[in-house]
DNA sequence: CTATTTTATTTGGCTATCCTAATTTTTCTT
DNA sequence: AAGAAAAATTAGGATAGCCAAATAAAATAG
């Protein structure tokens, strides 16, 4: 903590005349074991988080999709990408999209951790639903100090998963393995338990509620239509048809209730 | 809510050539009855809060003190003051310091409200002390949405006072009257109850703890030395001497435990 | 009441982040 | 494979908030 993070140095200028100032950032160990980390702007963090999300969805992050997601112009994205690349958070092949480096991935996972812990904390204490507090969590993840996050983590009982079954990245950057397999790949005829709903879109969650599906529901896949068609499954005494896209966002593990459970209590 | 707050307009230019852009802010009713308010930057809010605090301490806010408190240079303060004056948050007489307008006072009170509610919420839920979470509250007061603040307010049971006895400004900008009178003006010989400790400096609070004084303590002023000298008082079975400065930060109300109490439960 | 010191302001610059418009590269269509 | 459309980049500017240095006003000391 008492370690200097950003120093302004006066170095001899390569040009004639007097020295010039430069900003040296001693932050090699970005998210760290050292107990300190480089302070990033909210803007930079948002870009890194968006790149992380797009890499999961599309395998790469394109300038256009980033611009849409962040609600800025493509020119701004290109500019920021260059900056992120120069700082070592992403690899950029011009006209080919960006990918996070390990360093960037660390930052993204830290943000996911913060986001999920804040969301969980506020929903527990204030009894608010996900969509009521998502916008706040989005802002607060940049603002809350590390020490407060750790305190919240303890308060919640050091959870490994959030209420939707998604893992909460650990402080060291490791992530608990996802329980189960996507519903659209679950073997036909087998019985399974819904372990995770990877999407947090409130409308999608409402849809699932209408189908009476939730984390912990026991289901059996009855039939899968070809060409990414709907999937027929038994849940309780009912038979449900669910689209392929929706099914791919649900993870199921076999057996009754084993595997890892949501938060811990 | 669906009311536009900030519009970018293209107006005819007063100079030759084409039109120019301007930012029109429809925020006359700054903190308001309308359910919406103008979004201010964290920086602006910090200046307004600092001016508010300095006006209470010194009757006016000087450029120098603001610079010290905000940890910026005086040139930056002058610049921001001009901006705040142009937006109607402060009255500025050059070389004479600044004063908040009613509009600025509203903003400051809203920030105090947010700050105290966040602090109270975090200390209740996470069992942290004031000095552990002050820094976070300082940041979060700018970040938390109005709706979340209201939810926190309800969760806490709509408190009128914080744990130190300071009133929490109401949403409409009104403030509950301070209970009691400053200890240095309390009549000699009278019995009273400590109602408020207006300062939140952790060292000051530790000092009071050492003297075994806290909100609710019953005391009797025994003697007041002249020329702002120390004040002698009885508390329980002990006799305590307390400096004039410290005494002025403590408010006492007469009687045993009447008046308003800290939060409500 | 003048000289010095302190406080405040002005001027000119810097960086981060965004923008529009123009240009270049890639991809799609036929 | 050529031309059109889409995606990405570059170039040039704007704004907010900060700073250092120069200047101006007010306060203070002799």
């Amino acid at each position: 903590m008492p370690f200097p993070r950003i120093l302004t140095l006066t170095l001899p200028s390569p040009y004639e005349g007097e020295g010039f100032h430069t900003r040296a950032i001693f932050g090699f160990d970005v998210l760290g074991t050292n107990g300190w980390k480089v302070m990033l702007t909210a803007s930079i963090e948002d870009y890194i988080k968006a790149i992380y999300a797009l890499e999961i969805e599309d395998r790469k992050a394109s300038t256009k999709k980033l611009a849409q997601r962040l609600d800025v112009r493509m020119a701004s994205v290109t500019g920021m990408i260059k900056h992120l690349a120069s700082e070592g958070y992403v690899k950029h092949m011009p006209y080919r999209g960006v990918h996070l480096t390990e360093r960037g991935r660390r930052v993204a996972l830290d943000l996911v951790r913060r986001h999920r812990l804040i969301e969980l904390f506020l929903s527990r204490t204030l009894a608010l639903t996900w969509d009521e507090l998502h916008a706040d969590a989005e802002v607060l993840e940049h603002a809350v100090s590390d020490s407060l996050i750790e305190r919240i983590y303890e308060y919640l009982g050091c959870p490994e998963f959030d209420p939707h079954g998604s893992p909460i990245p650990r402080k060291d950057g490791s992530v608990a393995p996802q329980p189960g397999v996507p519903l659209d790949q679950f073997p036909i005829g087998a019985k399974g338990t819904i372990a995770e709903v990877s999407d947090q879109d409130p409308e999608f969650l409402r849809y699932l509620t209408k189908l009476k599906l939730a984390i912990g529901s026991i289901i059996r896949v009855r039939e899968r239509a070809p060409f990414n068609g709907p999937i027929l499954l038994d849940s309780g005494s009912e038979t449900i048809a669910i689209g392929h896209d929706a099914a791919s966002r649900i993870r199921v593990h076999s057996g009754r209730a084993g595997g890892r459970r949501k938060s811990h209590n």
Side-chain angles (χ1 to χ4, degrees), chain A residues 44-240:
Chain A
I44 286 178
E45 290 185 342
D46 281 334
Y47 275 91
I48 291 179
K49 219 175 62 146
I51 293 167
Y52 177 78
L54 282 174
E55 274 195 293
I56 288 172
E57 282 169 32
D58 299 355
R59 314 262 318 288
K60 66 156 197 181
S62 69
T63 305
K64 184 158 194 232
K65 291 228 169 161
L66 280 170
Q68 282 168 351
R69 193 168 283 234
L70 296 165
D71 196 25
V72 296
R73 295 314 162 111
M74 282 177 38
S76 310
V77 173
T78 309
M80 180 59 93
I81 281 173
K82 286 179 143 190
H83 178 65
L84 293 178
S86 81
E87 298 278 309
Y89 295 109
V90 302
K91 269 270 173 297
H92 181 214
M93 316 243 306
Y95 296 98
R96 285 278 126 87
V98 273
H99 294 274
L100 289 180
T101 60
E102 181 54 28
R103 181 187 166 102
R105 205 177 133 267
R106 277 299 199 87
V107 174
L109 288 174
D110 185 51
L111 285 164
V112 171
R113 172 184 173 79
R114 294 165 158 271
H115 186 98
R116 296 206 166 134
L117 288 173
I118 290 169
E119 228 166 59
L120 197 47
F121 172 62
L122 293 179
S123 73
R124 281 276 171 85
T125 51
L126 299 176
L128 292 171
T129 61
W130 177 83
D131 47 310
E132 286 172 308
L133 48 77
H134 178 71
D136 273 283
E138 204 71 30
V139 177
L140 296 183
E141 66 190 9
H142 305 299
V144 172
S145 73
D146 281 11
S147 58
L148 191 59
I149 285 288
E150 284 320 298
R151 187 67 199 86
I152 287 173
Y153 175 65
E154 286 163 23
Y155 168 86
L156 293 169
C158 307
E160 291 261 298
F161 298 89
D162 80 2
H164 305 290
S166 308
I168 296 170
R170 295 190 265 256
K171 201 165 39 159
D172 65 4
S174 65
V175 182
Q178 299 271 90
V181 287
L183 176 53
D184 62 322
Q185 286 159 38
F186 199 68
I188 291 174
K191 225 177 202 162
T193 310
I194 295 188
E196 187 199 353
V197 176
S198 68
D199 201 303
Q200 300 195 329
D201 172 13
E203 202 166 335
F204 181 63
L205 296 178
R206 272 192 288 275
Y207 171 62
L208 292 185
T209 309
K210 221 173 60 192
L211 294 181
K212 300 206 183 115
L213 291 179
I215 305 240
S217 301
I218 295 174
I219 55 101
R220 185 210 308 273
V221 177
R222 183 190 280 271
E223 189 185 324
R224 197 155 45 220
F227 304 111
N228 289 341
I231 290 166
L232 233 63
L233 46 90
D234 295 330
S235 165
S237 56
E238 296 178 75
T239 297
I240 296 168

Side-chain angles (χ1 to χ4, degrees), chain A residues 14-67:
Chain A
Y15 314 106
E16 71 267 288
E18 58 289 271
F20 67 105
H21 290 290
T22 191
R23 216 87 167 287
I25 301 184
F26 293 95
F28 311 118
D29 185 16
V30 184
L31 266 182
T33 41
N34 291 348
W36 56 272
K37 66 183 183 195
V38 174
M39 201 45 188
L40 300 176
T41 64
S43 183
I44 286 178
E45 290 185 342
D46 281 334
Y47 275 91
I48 291 179
K49 219 175 62 146
I51 293 167
Y52 177 78
L54 282 174
E55 274 195 293
I56 288 172
E57 282 169 32
D58 299 355
R59 314 262 318 288
K60 66 156 197 181
S62 69
T63 305
K64 184 158 194 232
K65 291 228 169 161
L66 280 170

